[in-house]
Amino acid sequence: MLLAATVLSGAMFSPVVLAGEVIKLATTTSTENSGLLGAILPKFEAESGYTVQVIATGTGKALKLASQGDVDVVMTHAPAAEAKFVADGFGIEPRGIMENDFIVLGPKNDPAAAKSSKDVAEAFGKIAHKPSKFVSRGDNSGTNMKELAIWKNAGVTTDFNGYTSVGQGMGKTLLMADELQAYTLTDRGTYIAYKAKLNLNISFEGGAALANPYQIMLINPAKYPDLNHKGAKALSDWFISPATQTMINEFTVQGEQLFKATYKK
């Protein structure tokens, strides 16, 4: 059974929605929590007649759904996992469509002095050696994969006092970190969307290690010929169109741009 899905209905544009007109998109919680897909997908539905069924979960689960043929198209933000997905023959036509970045959030008094670090690995090292509280998504999402890679680069194991893995999406993880006054790693888009609810500050930001690119990938028809490949291709093409790339750049929350469009031919 598929995970619970958020359906962005196109019924107002098409009086009858047939099974062949539904596109199942597995993607990350960050694209849903930020509000981006809810803002732009109705435009695609109106123009195309398709209805997009969004299954928002962690990157690991999204790629698993795609590798099982349970969805028509996948959009995630974990380059290494995506490269393996393509190399294993499940994904085709990966396209970089947008990016934002990861940031480290923490208590306003910054007890680990993370803000003065030269890079994010040093910031994580300070958090662990204090030790300070740290809330991890722990859900095999793209954000969780990035977090674990940073700990590894910092030479730190995550068994220190104060480290908590919660197995939740980004929004719930932010709220838990706020309640505990703990550090956490988040994508900037979800942070901006939740900022008004949080009593946390940005403790560290910047650097190539915190880049957060998103790709959309089609499912290999040789693996699963019965998927809605035509609809998936239409959606992928729409995401790289100049009009959609402009919409991505213009999408804001509380006056702040959440994503930067990146597609280049």
Side-chain angles (χ1 to χ4, degrees):
M1 181 180 294
L2 283 175
L3 297 174
T6 300
V7 179
L8 305 178
S9 175
M12 68 182 70
F13 307 118
S14 178
V16 179
V17 178
L18 303 176
E21 294 177 326
V22 175
I23 303 167
K24 296 176 183 177
L25 168 66
T27 188
T28 69
T29 57
S30 58
T31 55
E32 180 186 62
N33 289 341
S34 66
L36 174 69
L37 295 184
I40 70 174
L41 281 182
K43 178 72 171 176
F44 170 76
E45 293 176 325
E47 293 173 350
S48 68
Y50 288 108
T51 296
V52 181
Q53 187 182 44
V54 177
I55 299 98
T57 184
T59 285
K61 290 181 181 179
L63 292 174
K64 183 176 181 180
L65 287 171
S67 67
Q68 294 172 166
D70 290 328
V71 296
D72 303 306
V73 61
V74 61
M75 182 169 68
T76 52
H77 63 138
E82 291 156 6
K84 185 177 187 302
F85 179 74
V86 173
D88 288 346
F90 293 108
I92 61 171
E93 292 190 40
R95 289 163 160 176
I97 55 174
M98 62 187 184
E99 67 180 13
N100 60 14
D101 63 341
F102 293 105
I103 53 178
V104 181
L105 298 183
K108 291 182 177 179
N109 65 341
D110 190 19
K115 191 177 287 289
S116 63
S117 304
K118 68 179 184 296
D119 56 36
V120 69
E122 181 181 336
F124 269 38
K126 289 180 178 179
I127 292 167
H129 293 139
K130 179 70 179 177
S132 300
K133 294 178 182 178
F134 188 98
V135 176
S136 167
R137 284 183 59 165
D139 63 348
N140 199 32
S141 62
T143 304
N144 186 213
M145 293 177 193
K146 171 63 72 172
E147 176 218 322
L148 295 177
I150 296 170
W151 289 122
K152 183 177 180 179
N153 289 340
V156 175
T157 58
T158 58
D159 55 357
F160 61 88
N161 289 335
Y163 184 90
T164 302
S165 179
V166 296
Q168 297 290 337
M170 196 70 257
K172 289 183 178 179
T173 300
L174 286 176
L175 295 175
M176 293 178 73
D178 184 69
E179 182 178 350
L180 295 172
Q181 282 297 284
Y183 291 93
T184 193
L185 183 74
T186 180
D187 66 284
R188 189 182 295 270
T190 307
Y191 166 63
I192 292 171
Y194 275 73
K195 185 164 64 171
K197 303 176 184 178
L198 304 175
N199 189 33
L200 298 171
N201 276 359
I202 296 176
S203 299
F204 189 86
E205 61 185 328
L210 291 177
N212 185 26
Y214 289 76
Q215 286 195 109
I216 190 167
M217 295 177 289
L218 304 180
I219 313 303
N220 189 346
K223 294 279 189 182
Y224 299 105
D226 295 332
L227 296 179
N228 186 359
H229 298 290
K230 182 178 179 181
K233 182 67 161 58
L235 182 62
S236 178
D237 288 346
W238 181 80
F239 264 107
I240 66 169
S241 69
T244 305
Q245 291 280 287
T246 297
M247 281 195 291
I248 290 170
N249 279 332
E250 292 179 348
F251 177 69
T252 61
V253 172
Q254 300 176 26
E256 295 190 57
Q257 181 179 349
L258 269 62
F259 299 93
K260 177 185 177 182
T262 59
Y263 178 73
K264 296 179 181 179
K265 292 183 178 180

